[in-house]
Amino acid sequence: MARRPRREAPAAEPEETGEGRSPLAGGCVLVVLGGGALAGLWAASPDAAVLAVWVVGVAAVWWSARRRKGTYQPLPSPTAPPPRGEVFAVETGRAARVVKGPGGMTIVYPEIEYVTEDQLP
């Protein structure tokens, strides 16, 4: 009797490994299930269904307000001096370019010079 060749296991499908699942799909499933439960509750008692919608809404707002927002780093104070070693742009008082537009409008672009903190006037 001839020996059969050994077959390898098929590659795992994306559904089996968890790859390819979307959070949106899970949200859709929850909406459908919640809608079905609400429809059943509405059929039993419309007042109870309205109360359930209010309770779920208040719980969702409370949960959202209590949830940790992650790393919060406020902006630096605008009155604090800038860190050392930065480069600043200083106007020299001369015009680098003058552009005349329609209707007598004129735009003057000042000439700027890049300096470090110790070179500031």
Side-chain angles (χ1 to χ4, degrees):
M1 184 165 150
R3 197 168 207 197
R4 286 185 164 173
R6 193 169 187 184
R7 290 181 19 187
E8 293 184 23
E13 295 294 321
E15 292 82 23
E16 293 175 8
T17 60
E19 298 172 10
R21 291 187 183 169
S22 167
L24 185 61
C28 290
V29 168
L30 290 177
V31 166
V32 168
L33 291 175
L38 183 64
L41 189 58
W42 187 274
S45 170
D47 294 335
V50 170
L51 181 62
V53 169
W54 274 99
V55 167
V56 168
V58 168
V61 169
W62 178 82
W63 177 77
S64 177
R66 300 284 297 167
R67 193 170 54 159
R68 190 177 191 114
K69 301 294 186 212
T71 59
Y72 171 71
Q73 296 177 350
L75 294 174
S77 171
T79 58
R84 298 193 61 78
E86 281 199 35
V87 176
F88 301 94
V90 179
E91 293 183 17
T92 62
R94 298 185 299 266
R97 179 171 71 156
V98 178
V99 178
K100 295 191 183 237
M105 179 180 72
T106 303
I107 301 174
V108 178
Y109 293 95
E111 187 177 279
I112 58 172
E113 179 181 352
Y114 295 103
V115 296
T116 58
E117 189 174 0
D118 55 339
Q119 297 173 335
L120 284 174

